[in-house]
Amino acid sequence: MTASAKLIYMDHAATTPVRPEALEAMAPYFNRLFGNPSSIYTLAQESRKVVDDAREQVAHVLNCRASEVVFTSGGTESDNAAVKGGALALKRAGNHIVTSAIEHHAVLHTCEQMRELGFQLTIVPVDGHGLVDARSVIQALTDQTVLVSVMLANNEIGAVQPVAEIARLVHDEARRQGRTILVHTDAVQAVGYLPLDVRKLDVDMLSLSAHKFGGPKGVGVLYIKRGTPFVPLLAGGGQERDRRSGTENVPGIVGAAVALALADAAREEAAQHVARLRDLLIAGIQERMPNAILNGHPTRRLPNNVNFSFPGVEGEPVLLGLDLAGVCASSGSACSTASLEPSHVLIALGRTAEVARSSLRFTLGPQNTEDEVRYILQVLPGLVQRLRSMPSLLAGRR
């Protein structure tokens, strides 16, 4: 195989290109309008106004108050701040956290850190499709529970979780007990494909990451419902209403808000487009590769997510072969690609370590086309078959 001049990008769950409109909106705030929003002179107040405007834009998409929007450095910080900030604020009321087995490591590792600080942790299992049963979450609650964190949509298998139902049941139980239990959701992968109305989701906190929806890297959003107990993760100058200190990333915030508004406005059209391509890709793989195992629910999944395991071959050499053919895909979470450990998400589904290591994820975007899907269906089956006939490639990894 030789390197291809073709480039087909199907790893939108890892990152996305910055939208031209977002890039254009950001440009003045790198040099011409470079003021620090915390200063009082006119130049600085121009920065303050644009940050406030961006906050209003984000609040409109989330259907919340602008004062409930906190800008962060990304999804990881937003998740860390929600879990730590919410749990620590309620530590006198209880020391128990509930989460699911397929959360992003930004949540799971944070919960594990909280366990080292004396909190108890219950990790709720998922079914064979990667779905959380709301009843299992409620059964995991104790009189010490202060926080529940369940992601809206999984980054590896696209499983869409019943977050609104979970939040409603958790809050009902909290009211019955006469206490507070916070509900957080990692919605990083949902932007542009699922509604993000925090009132309908009934969550107390919600995390977003700008580079997943056409915004710049290094910018995130944390929604914190008014009145939610919260201890800030970062202390300092008291920016973001004392909830996240640090000089605001003005260009990044501007770009994030523009990208979010555009992604949400095009949500229904984009979801229909990528769902059609997703279904075409899934059907084509199942037809040409009958031994392939679809990971995740057949229908309750993000419209752009395709995840298969190909027993008898590891995902990494398949990815390298696809790269040579001009196709960008993934073997799972972009944050874990350097690890030789099998995906914790696929293990939670009941896959063996060997099957988990054979997984491949395609995540489509609005710019992908039917011709690109058909090209992948031409390349992938033969590539997997050739690799299966070369067992020596796998020997060194066992």
Side-chain angles (χ1 to χ4, degrees):
M1 292 183 287
T2 58
S4 171
K6 180 187 293 289
L7 177 63
I8 297 174
Y9 187 76
M10 289 199 182
D11 199 18
H12 291 82
T15 196
T16 59
V18 175
R19 293 172 179 266
E21 300 94 333
L23 189 61
E24 182 180 2
M26 292 166 64
Y29 301 97
F30 284 108
N31 46 31
R32 184 168 58 85
L33 301 175
F34 59 89
N36 185 323
S38 296
S39 299
I40 64 172
Y41 40 80
T42 301
L43 178 66
Q45 287 308 297
E46 289 176 345
S47 294
R48 168 53 54 198
K49 182 182 184 305
V50 79
V51 168
D52 290 342
D53 290 345
R55 205 181 306 277
E56 291 282 356
Q57 280 184 288
V58 172
H60 178 74
V61 173
L62 300 184
N63 189 27
C64 68
R65 298 178 176 91
S67 61
E68 296 173 317
V69 174
V70 178
F71 292 113
T72 70
S73 65
T76 293
E77 184 190 332
S78 293
D79 283 344
N80 271 257
V83 172
K84 294 176 180 176
L88 290 173
L90 291 170
K91 65 180 179 179
R92 292 184 179 178
N95 67 341
H96 181 234
I97 298 171
V98 177
T99 192
S100 86
I102 62 166
E103 297 299 305
H104 191 279
H105 281 141
V107 168
L108 281 177
H109 288 174
T110 302
C111 289
E112 290 164 3
Q113 282 187 328
M114 297 303 290
R115 183 158 53 186
E116 294 173 1
L117 294 175
F119 281 78
Q120 302 297 312
L121 176 62
T122 298
I123 299 178
V124 176
V126 295
D127 66 16
H129 292 308
L131 296 178
V132 178
D133 187 336
R135 293 169 298 179
S136 298
V137 175
I138 302 308
Q139 291 167 3
L141 300 179
T142 74
D143 60 2
Q144 293 294 303
T145 306
V146 293
L147 177 76
V148 172
S149 182
V150 176
M151 67 196 328
L152 185 54
N154 184 262
N155 52 303
E156 292 192 35
I157 60 172
V160 178
Q161 307 299 343
V163 168
E165 180 186 4
I166 290 170
R168 176 178 57 81
L169 293 174
V170 169
H171 288 146
D172 285 348
E173 179 62 20
R175 281 188 287 268
R176 189 188 68 79
Q177 295 183 17
R179 54 198 304 272
T180 298
I181 304 176
L182 302 179
V183 178
H184 164 252
T185 190
D186 177 335
V188 165
Q189 294 293 338
V191 179
Y193 301 116
L194 299 178
L196 293 176
D197 187 326
V198 294
R199 305 304 181 209
K200 292 182 179 179
L201 289 172
D202 195 22
V203 293
D204 301 292
M205 294 179 285
L206 176 145
S207 302
L208 300 177
S209 181
H211 76 101
K212 304 294 187 177
F213 51 81
K217 296 176 179 66
V219 185
V221 170
L222 176 60
Y223 158 75
I224 307 176
K225 185 178 180 180
R226 184 178 182 181
T228 296
F230 183 78
V231 173
L233 189 66
L234 298 178
Q239 290 89 346
E240 297 296 297
R241 294 174 179 256
D242 285 324
R243 294 166 301 186
R244 199 275 183 183
S245 290
T247 301
E248 295 91 342
N249 176 0
V250 177
I253 288 170
V254 170
V258 169
L260 179 63
L262 290 171
D264 189 67
R267 173 167 48 83
E268 292 186 7
E269 181 182 354
Q272 290 176 2
H273 172 70
V274 295
R276 184 177 65 83
L277 298 182
R278 174 201 66 186
D279 294 344
L280 182 64
L281 183 55
I282 288 175
I285 289 174
Q286 291 176 326
E287 177 185 348
R288 294 164 175 78
M289 308 171 74
N291 292 330
I293 301 170
L294 178 66
N295 295 312
H297 196 277
T299 57
R300 287 183 57 181
R301 68 191 302 137
L302 286 171
N304 72 329
N305 178 283
V306 176
N307 189 309
F308 274 95
S309 290
F310 303 98
V313 62
E314 292 199 355
E316 185 176 311
V318 179
L319 286 177
L320 294 174
L322 286 174
D323 185 39
L324 288 172
V327 178
C328 302
S330 171
S331 59
S333 172
C335 302
S336 303
T337 52
S339 173
L340 298 181
E341 292 298 314
S343 161
H344 72 283
V345 173
L346 297 185
I347 295 298
L349 268 61
R351 306 286 188 252
T352 65
E354 182 179 4
V355 170
R357 289 194 184 96
S358 72
S359 69
L360 202 65
R361 180 189 71 181
F362 298 95
T363 43
L364 300 103
Q367 291 76 33
N368 288 128
T369 66
E370 186 172 326
D371 285 344
E372 291 176 336
V373 170
R374 296 194 184 283
Y375 175 76
I376 290 172
L377 292 174
Q378 291 175 358
V379 171
L380 182 62
L383 172 61
V384 171
Q385 185 59 40
R386 287 194 298 275
L387 290 169
R388 279 178 176 156
S389 67
M390 302 169 65
S392 59
L393 288 178
L394 305 180
R397 293 286 299 276
R398 293 200 174 102

